[in-house]
Amino acid sequence: MKIPPPRLLKLDREALARDVRALPSLPTVVQELMMLVQKNEVQLDTITNTLSLDQALSVKVLHLANSPFYGLSGRVRSIRDAINILGMRQLSSLVIAAALTLQFEKLHGQSLHMNAFWRHSIGCATAARQLAKRTGLDEQAAFTAGLLHDVGKIMTPDEVLNKPGKLTDEEFTIMRQHVVHSYEILSN
C-alpha cells in the first residue's frame, strides 16, 4: 500500500505576522533586565534586585546555576551568586527564554507541558553550547539557539500538540511548521 505524499499547508504570512503581533508583550521585569544586561556599566546588585521581582524567573536562574553542567548542584543559594556563575550573556538568553515559556503557558495553558518543554530547551541549549565549544563557534549564540529552537510551537494547534499516539501525515506536516513559526517569531 502506497502512502500518498503529505499535503502541504499554505503558510499565510499575513495571518502569522498578525498572530505574532498579538503575542503578549514581555513582562516589565524582563524588559528592565534586558536593558540592564546590555549596559556596559551596571551594578550586579541592580540586576539581582530587578530579577528578584519575578519569582518564576528567579527560580529558573537558580535552577540552571545549580544544574550538573556547572558542577555546583545544590550549592548556589542566592540569585546574586547564580548571576555570577551564569554571566550576563547567559542570563540574557535565559531571561528571554524563560519569559517566552511563561507567556506560552498563558496562551496555551498546559498544552505545551511547560516543565518538559523547559527541560528539553535547556538540554538542547546545553548540547548546542558543547558542540560550539568543540568546534570553536560562539558558545553563547549556540546556547541561545538551542534554547529558542522550538519557540514556534506556540503557533501549533493544541489538538496536534496534545494528540496521544501517532500523528497523521497532515498533523505531522502541521507540527513541522513550528520551525517556520520559530523563524517568524524570532525575526519580528
Side-chain angles (χ1 to χ4, degrees):
M1 177 166 116
K2 186 175 180 183
I3 298 174
R7 187 179 68 158
L8 294 177
L9 301 175
K10 292 190 178 181
L11 180 62
D12 181 350
R13 293 202 183 275
E14 286 180 26
L16 180 59
R18 206 171 35 253
D19 289 343
V20 168
R21 283 191 293 275
L23 290 174
S25 58
L26 291 175
T28 305
V29 170
V30 173
Q31 292 175 12
E32 286 182 44
L33 284 168
M34 295 314 300
M35 245 178 23
L36 288 172
V37 297
Q38 290 176 5
K39 291 182 179 180
N40 289 334
E41 299 286 327
V42 64
Q43 296 293 318
L44 181 59
D45 287 334
T46 303
I47 293 174
T48 301
N49 293 338
T50 303
L51 180 60
S52 297
L53 296 174
D54 189 308
Q55 283 182 322
L57 287 176
S58 297
V59 168
K60 297 285 186 195
V61 168
L62 283 166
H63 181 74
L64 183 59
N66 278 295
S67 69
F69 179 79
Y70 292 99
L72 299 169
S73 292
R75 293 191 303 216
V76 181
R77 301 197 190 286
S78 76
I79 294 169
R80 189 176 204 287
D81 290 345
I83 293 170
N84 268 327
I85 290 163
L86 298 176
M88 290 301 162
R89 287 179 69 187
Q90 181 107 353
L91 176 67
S92 174
S93 299
L94 180 67
V95 166
I96 290 172
L100 287 172
T101 58
L102 294 171
Q103 295 301 325
F104 295 166
E105 193 168 47
K106 289 178 187 173
L107 287 173
H108 277 278
Q110 291 298 318
S111 68
L112 279 178
H113 304 286
M114 294 314 294
N115 286 336
F117 181 75
W118 181 252
R119 280 192 310 273
H120 170 74
S121 296
I122 290 292
C124 289
T126 302
R129 181 176 44 209
Q130 287 301 310
L131 288 170
K133 185 177 184 175
R134 290 181 183 204
T135 58
L137 298 173
D138 184 335
E139 293 177 43
Q140 294 303 324
F143 183 88
T144 302
L147 203 55
L148 299 177
H149 78 283
D150 273 345
V151 72
K153 284 187 176 178
I154 191 173
M155 307 300 283
T156 304
D158 288 345
E159 58 273 8
V160 175
L161 279 175
N162 296 327
K163 182 180 178 184
K166 187 176 179 182
L167 298 175
T168 66
D169 289 341
E170 183 174 357
E171 291 166 334
F172 186 66
T173 300
I174 292 169
M175 182 60 86
R176 288 190 319 209
Q177 289 298 310
H178 84 274
V179 176
V180 174
H181 298 316
S182 294
Y183 173 80
E184 294 291 334
I185 290 168
L186 295 172
S187 294
N188 284 313

